[in-house]
Amino acid sequence: PMLIGRDISDWRALRPALEQELARMMLHTGEFGPFAHCLAAIDMAAADMVARGQGVSLSHMLNDAPLAQAQVYASSPSADEPDELAAKLTEMGHTGVKIKIGFDPERDHYVMSRFRTHDAAGMFVGVDANQNWTPDQAIRAIRALGEFDLGFVEEPIMANAAPADWLRVAQSVDVPLAAGENITSQTGFAAHVTAGTLGVIQPDVAKWGGISGCFDAGRHALDHGAGVTLHYMGTALGLAASFQVLAALKGDGRVELDANPNPLRTDLGEI
């Protein structure tokens, strides 16, 4: 009902306005996440409608000369058989992967060692610890994996850990730290980039910000020397939006592509 009759020609202003109007209700219900997800979807829909009205793709509306192609990395494939994983992904056409770690040091080292041994193509490899370590554990674990030429380590500590903890980990290891799916404001992304705690930001168009928030966070990161990789695990709609945003940003990052069976991605239409 709040959208009926609303002018969306200035589509970038819509989500921030709704966030302000609904701020009291978010606090009252304690349901910030669902509100953020809904407002991200509204932002995506408004941006798409305006782009269609202009007769251009979303990426061209955001940038007159976007990338023609955007890279991906295969996300969350099972690493139970690391000897076969590299060959399987290469056969599927992937040039990058993100592997889940953070279980125990010996298993993590075994998985990465076996994967790299059979990785004839020299794939881009990021790893995701899913907030599983304390700062001290993270430093030890990341140093132990340093031989495997990692592109980033995602959420090695709690996403809401103190800035000083993030900075200590970032300054103690040689691999860029990455996060973003649990950052829910422009100022949150900017603070990490400015402080140097994140070498790669990973905004998620469906979790917070939609097109406008993720594009602006990405633009700020690139302008200040950080990389941008779009986090995404969900339907074909959000995946398509992620490609459009990354193409418009014109960075050298990648879009996360769920490598597991996902009918919400494969059966909702081509992108």
Side-chain angles (χ1 to χ4, degrees), residues 40-60:
I42 290 169
D43 186 279
M44 282 192 281
D48 182 65
M49 285 190 286
V50 172
R52 290 174 185 272
Q54 296 177 4
V56 297
S57 69
L58 186 56
S59 59
H60 278 87

Side-chain angles (χ1 to χ4, degrees), residues 1 32 51 60 66 71 95 135 172 205 230 240 257:
F32 180 84
H60 278 87
Q71 298 185 93
T95 61
S172 301
V205 297
L230 271 290
L257 180 63

Side-chain angles (χ1 to χ4, degrees), residues 2-3 6 13-24 26 35 38-39 42-43:
M2 296 178 71
L3 296 176
R6 201 142 187 163
L14 178 60
R15 177 186 52 80
L18 290 172
E19 286 179 350
Q20 185 173 359
E21 292 172 27
L22 291 166
R24 182 177 61 86
M26 293 184 202
F35 275 99
C38 290
L39 295 182
I42 290 169
D43 186 279

Side-chain angles (χ1 to χ4, degrees), residues 5-91:
R6 201 142 187 163
D7 181 8
I8 64 166
S9 57
D10 184 11
W11 65 273
R12 287 178 173 273
L14 178 60
R15 177 186 52 80
L18 290 172
E19 286 179 350
Q20 185 173 359
E21 292 172 27
L22 291 166
R24 182 177 61 86
M25 188 60 67
M26 293 184 202
L27 288 173
H28 180 70
T29 61
E31 296 283 2
F32 180 84
F35 275 99
H37 300 171
C38 290
L39 295 182
I42 290 169
D43 186 279
M44 282 192 281
D48 182 65
M49 285 190 286
V50 172
R52 290 174 185 272
Q54 296 177 4
V56 297
S57 69
L58 186 56
S59 59
H60 278 87
M61 183 177 73
L62 296 170
N63 188 322
D64 290 337
L67 294 175
Q69 292 183 319
Q71 298 185 93
V72 304
Y73 65 77
S75 182
S76 299
S78 172
D80 292 338
E81 298 177 342
D83 290 13
E84 301 176 7
L85 181 58
K88 176 182 177 182
L89 292 175
T90 300
E91 183 179 351

